[in-house]
Short mmCIF file of all heavy atoms in Angstrom, two decimals:
data_model
loop_
_atom_site.label_atom_id
_atom_site.label_comp_id
_atom_site.label_asym_id
_atom_site.label_seq_id
_atom_site.Cartn_x
_atom_site.Cartn_y
_atom_site.Cartn_z
N GLY A 185 -10.41 9.80 -7.02
CA GLY A 185 -10.25 8.31 -7.11
C GLY A 185 -10.67 7.75 -8.46
O GLY A 185 -10.98 6.52 -8.49
N GLY A 186 -10.60 8.52 -9.48
CA GLY A 186 -10.89 7.99 -10.87
C GLY A 186 -12.35 8.19 -11.26
O GLY A 186 -12.78 7.78 -12.22
N ARG A 187 -13.10 8.97 -10.49
CA ARG A 187 -14.50 9.28 -10.89
C ARG A 187 -14.67 10.39 -11.86
O ARG A 187 -15.62 10.35 -12.59
CB ARG A 187 -15.36 9.62 -9.59
CG ARG A 187 -15.65 8.42 -8.75
CD ARG A 187 -16.35 8.86 -7.47
NE ARG A 187 -16.70 7.64 -6.70
CZ ARG A 187 -15.76 6.86 -6.03
NH1 ARG A 187 -14.58 7.32 -6.02
NH2 ARG A 187 -16.24 5.85 -5.44
N VAL A 188 -13.66 11.28 -11.96
CA VAL A 188 -13.69 12.33 -13.06
C VAL A 188 -12.33 12.43 -13.65
O VAL A 188 -11.36 12.06 -13.10
CB VAL A 188 -14.04 13.68 -12.46
CG1 VAL A 188 -15.48 13.81 -12.19
CG2 VAL A 188 -13.14 14.06 -11.36
N PHE A 189 -12.42 12.89 -14.98
CA PHE A 189 -11.07 13.18 -15.57
C PHE A 189 -10.91 14.64 -16.02
O PHE A 189 -12.08 15.32 -16.04
CB PHE A 189 -11.10 12.21 -16.99
CG PHE A 189 -11.04 10.71 -16.59
CD1 PHE A 189 -12.14 9.99 -16.82
CD2 PHE A 189 -9.85 10.11 -16.30
CE1 PHE A 189 -12.17 8.67 -16.54
CE2 PHE A 189 -9.88 8.86 -16.00
CZ PHE A 189 -11.05 8.12 -16.10
N THR A 190 -9.69 15.01 -16.18
CA THR A 190 -9.58 16.44 -16.39
C THR A 190 -8.49 16.64 -17.50
O THR A 190 -7.40 15.95 -17.50
CB THR A 190 -9.05 17.28 -15.25
OG1 THR A 190 -7.86 16.75 -14.71
CG2 THR A 190 -10.05 17.30 -14.08
N ASP A 191 -8.69 17.51 -18.48
CA ASP A 191 -7.65 17.97 -19.20
C ASP A 191 -6.91 19.09 -18.50
O ASP A 191 -7.56 20.03 -17.99
CB ASP A 191 -8.36 18.72 -20.58
CG ASP A 191 -8.97 17.68 -21.54
OD1 ASP A 191 -8.47 16.45 -21.53
OD2 ASP A 191 -9.89 18.04 -22.21
N VAL A 192 -5.67 18.95 -18.59
CA VAL A 192 -4.89 19.92 -17.78
C VAL A 192 -3.79 20.64 -18.55
O VAL A 192 -3.19 19.93 -19.36
CB VAL A 192 -4.25 19.24 -16.59
CG1 VAL A 192 -3.40 20.10 -15.72
CG2 VAL A 192 -5.22 18.54 -15.68
N ASN A 193 -3.54 21.98 -18.44
CA ASN A 193 -2.52 22.65 -19.11
C ASN A 193 -1.43 22.77 -17.98
O ASN A 193 -1.62 23.43 -16.99
CB ASN A 193 -3.06 24.05 -19.46
CG ASN A 193 -3.83 23.95 -20.77
OD1 ASN A 193 -4.02 22.80 -21.45
ND2 ASN A 193 -4.32 25.05 -21.27
N CYS A 194 -0.23 22.41 -18.38
CA CYS A 194 0.92 22.49 -17.49
C CYS A 194 1.93 23.44 -18.11
O CYS A 194 2.33 23.28 -19.16
CB CYS A 194 1.56 21.12 -17.34
SG CYS A 194 0.55 19.84 -17.20
N ASP A 195 2.15 24.53 -17.37
CA ASP A 195 3.06 25.54 -17.77
C ASP A 195 4.52 24.96 -17.85
O ASP A 195 5.06 24.54 -16.85
CB ASP A 195 3.03 26.68 -16.86
CG ASP A 195 3.89 27.81 -17.23
OD1 ASP A 195 4.74 27.69 -18.12
OD2 ASP A 195 3.82 28.98 -16.69
N ILE A 196 5.09 24.87 -19.03
CA ILE A 196 6.44 24.34 -19.19
C ILE A 196 7.52 25.37 -19.39
O ILE A 196 8.65 25.08 -19.70
CB ILE A 196 6.55 23.28 -20.20
CG1 ILE A 196 6.16 23.69 -21.49
CG2 ILE A 196 5.61 22.04 -19.72
CD1 ILE A 196 6.52 22.73 -22.52
N SER A 197 7.13 26.72 -19.19
CA SER A 197 7.99 27.68 -19.46
C SER A 197 9.26 27.72 -18.71
O SER A 197 10.42 28.20 -19.07
CB SER A 197 7.45 29.04 -19.53
OG SER A 197 6.87 29.24 -18.19
N THR A 198 9.26 27.12 -17.44
CA THR A 198 10.42 26.91 -16.66
C THR A 198 10.68 25.57 -16.34
O THR A 198 11.06 24.97 -15.37
CB THR A 198 10.26 27.72 -15.33
OG1 THR A 198 9.12 27.23 -14.58
CG2 THR A 198 10.18 29.26 -15.46
N GLY A 199 10.41 24.63 -17.44
CA GLY A 199 10.57 23.25 -17.21
C GLY A 199 9.26 22.58 -16.60
O GLY A 199 8.25 23.15 -16.34
N ALA A 200 9.36 21.20 -16.40
CA ALA A 200 8.26 20.48 -15.70
C ALA A 200 8.73 19.18 -15.13
O ALA A 200 9.64 18.55 -15.66
CB ALA A 200 7.26 20.23 -16.91
N VAL A 201 8.17 18.89 -14.07
CA VAL A 201 8.35 17.56 -13.48
C VAL A 201 7.05 16.86 -13.63
O VAL A 201 6.02 17.36 -13.08
CB VAL A 201 8.88 17.60 -12.05
CG1 VAL A 201 8.99 16.21 -11.41
CG2 VAL A 201 10.19 18.38 -11.93
N LEU A 202 7.04 15.62 -14.16
CA LEU A 202 5.78 14.87 -14.50
C LEU A 202 5.94 13.53 -14.07
O LEU A 202 6.94 12.86 -14.20
CB LEU A 202 5.64 14.98 -16.05
CG LEU A 202 5.76 16.16 -16.76
CD1 LEU A 202 5.93 16.10 -18.24
CD2 LEU A 202 4.54 17.14 -16.55
#
Side-chain angles (χ1 to χ4, degrees):
Chain A
R187 280 174 181 75
V188 287
F189 295 101
T190 61
D191 289 333
V192 180
N193 282 355
C194 319
D195 180 350
I196 58 166
S197 56
T198 58
V201 176
L202 311 161

